[in-house]
Amino acid sequence: MPSPTLHTPIKTPRAPLRWVYVYVLLIPLVNWGFTHIPTIPMPDGGNWAPMAIVTGFILVARDFAQREVKHYILLPLLIGIVLSYFMAAPEIALASGIAFGVSEMIDYIVYTTSKRPLSERVLISSSLSAPIDSALFLIVANMAIPGVFSWMTLGTSIASKILGAYVVYRLLKRREIIRQAQH
């Protein structure tokens, strides 16, 4: 058997459901951060939540988790939200559950109806769901904890989610191009 080269993919055992675990753990982690990490007062009158930057990885982790469990992705989401109630303020967990639930439906539609390559589905689903997810979360959280909503936090949250999706898109696109060249 020839030794692998830079262009030969190395087959490694895949950990079952590894992205599901990452997704489930990220949900309460980010909600804990929104509850416990201090916000920074902003000129727009709101408070910027530094955790808005971290939220970019959650939608991408969800895309990969959905590949592992298909239509059962709502179960890991529910587990993450339940864990959030133990780690974060109930208002934050509720806001997160509503936002994730709605954005999950958008993601589900993209993954169910699109026959595009994975790289494009990641970018499309995140681009569609990031603004809705971010806005819903901050609006609901602001009802319970005034000052959580800030245009700067909303912008940062949306930008980080789309930037995270774009980075993953580029990595996946590169992998798809390499695979096409090998066939």
Side-chain angles (χ1 to χ4, degrees):
M1 182 164 125
S3 64
T5 67
L6 287 176
H7 301 290
T8 305
I10 299 173
K11 301 270 184 186
T12 57
R14 185 172 165 190
L17 306 180
R18 71 177 169 202
W19 283 104
V20 170
Y21 297 131
V22 169
Y23 179 52
V24 167
L25 293 174
L26 278 174
I27 294 169
L29 173 70
V30 166
N31 289 331
W32 175 89
F34 269 101
T35 300
H36 298 289
I37 294 175
T39 58
I40 300 166
M42 299 311 297
D44 66 358
N47 293 303
W48 181 69
M51 286 307 291
I53 294 172
V54 180
T55 60
F57 188 60
I58 291 179
L59 295 182
V60 174
R62 179 184 61 200
D63 290 340
F64 285 102
Q66 188 165 344
R67 288 187 68 212
E68 293 175 346
V69 295
K70 308 288 185 239
H71 302 303
Y72 298 103
I73 193 65
L74 291 178
L75 182 59
L77 170 62
L78 290 174
I79 293 168
I81 296 302
V82 168
L83 290 173
S84 292
Y85 275 97
F86 294 106
M87 297 178 67
E91 300 87 0
I92 297 295
L94 175 64
S96 178
I98 291 169
F100 273 125
V102 171
S103 68
E104 185 59 53
M105 291 303 113
I106 294 167
D107 204 57
Y108 175 82
I109 290 167
V110 169
Y111 269 78
T112 302
T113 61
S114 177
K115 303 299 179 215
R116 294 180 177 269
L118 176 62
S119 62
E120 293 176 25
R121 285 186 288 162
V122 165
L123 190 59
I124 293 167
S125 67
S126 291
S127 296
L128 293 174
S129 63
I132 295 167
D133 177 85
S134 299
L136 275 175
F137 173 79
L138 291 171
I139 289 167
V140 174
N142 195 66
M143 287 181 197
I145 305 169
V148 168
F149 182 88
S150 158
W151 289 107
M152 294 186 82
T153 296
L154 177 61
T156 304
S157 182
I158 293 169
S160 70
K161 289 172 183 174
I162 293 174
L163 178 61
Y166 182 74
V167 168
V168 172
Y169 161 78
R170 296 296 304 162
L171 293 170
L172 290 172
K173 192 68 170 174
R174 181 173 174 250
R175 186 175 76 179
E176 291 165 359
I177 290 169
I178 291 169
R179 283 189 179 167
Q180 285 177 350
Q182 292 174 344
H183 291 104

